[in-house]
PDB file of all heavy atoms in Angstrom:
ATOM      1  N   GLY A  22      91.394  93.864 123.702  1.00  0.00           N
ATOM      2  CA  GLY A  22      90.199  93.478 122.962  1.00  0.00           C
ATOM      3  C   GLY A  22      90.000  94.414 121.694  1.00  0.00           C
ATOM      4  O   GLY A  22      90.902  95.094 121.189  1.00  0.00           O
ATOM      5  N   ILE A  94      95.128 113.368 122.869  1.00  0.00           N
ATOM      6  CA  ILE A  94      96.337 114.104 123.272  1.00  0.00           C
ATOM      7  C   ILE A  94      96.601 113.957 124.787  1.00  0.00           C
ATOM      8  O   ILE A  94      97.756 113.678 125.292  1.00  0.00           O
ATOM      9  CB  ILE A  94      96.293 115.594 122.829  1.00  0.00           C
ATOM     10  CG1 ILE A  94      96.080 115.582 121.368  1.00  0.00           C
ATOM     11  CG2 ILE A  94      97.564 116.262 123.257  1.00  0.00           C
ATOM     12  CD1 ILE A  94      95.915 117.039 120.758  1.00  0.00           C
ATOM     13  N   LEU A 136     106.846 119.904 120.818  1.00  0.00           N
ATOM     14  CA  LEU A 136     105.474 119.596 120.129  1.00  0.00           C
ATOM     15  C   LEU A 136     105.477 119.956 118.672  1.00  0.00           C
ATOM     16  O   LEU A 136     105.959 121.022 118.297  1.00  0.00           O
ATOM     17  CB  LEU A 136     104.422 120.378 120.872  1.00  0.00           C
ATOM     18  CG  LEU A 136     104.083 119.983 122.320  1.00  0.00           C
ATOM     19  CD1 LEU A 136     103.497 121.006 123.042  1.00  0.00           C
ATOM     20  CD2 LEU A 136     103.242 118.657 122.356  1.00  0.00           C
ATOM     21  N   ASP A 193     113.966 123.492 114.045  1.00  0.00           N
ATOM     22  CA  ASP A 193     114.653 124.620 114.491  1.00  0.00           C
ATOM     23  C   ASP A 193     114.062 125.938 113.829  1.00  0.00           C
ATOM     24  O   ASP A 193     112.846 125.779 113.308  1.00  0.00           O
ATOM     25  CB  ASP A 193     116.209 124.598 114.132  1.00  0.00           C
ATOM     26  CG  ASP A 193     116.483 124.407 112.722  1.00  0.00           C
ATOM     27  OD1 ASP A 193     115.692 124.703 111.853  1.00  0.00           O
ATOM     28  OD2 ASP A 193     117.668 123.994 112.318  1.00  0.00           O
ATOM     29  N   LEU A 227     134.078 134.145 102.008  1.00  0.00           N
ATOM     30  CA  LEU A 227     134.573 135.126 102.744  1.00  0.00           C
ATOM     31  C   LEU A 227     136.030 135.681 102.293  1.00  0.00           C
ATOM     32  O   LEU A 227     136.314 136.952 102.453  1.00  0.00           O
ATOM     33  CB  LEU A 227     134.789 134.706 104.323  1.00  0.00           C
ATOM     34  CG  LEU A 227     133.450 134.431 105.022  1.00  0.00           C
ATOM     35  CD1 LEU A 227     133.755 133.755 106.295  1.00  0.00           C
ATOM     36  CD2 LEU A 227     132.713 135.712 105.250  1.00  0.00           C
TER      37      LEU A 227
END
Side-chain angles (χ1 to χ4, degrees):
I94 299 174
L136 292 158
D193 63 18
L227 288 171

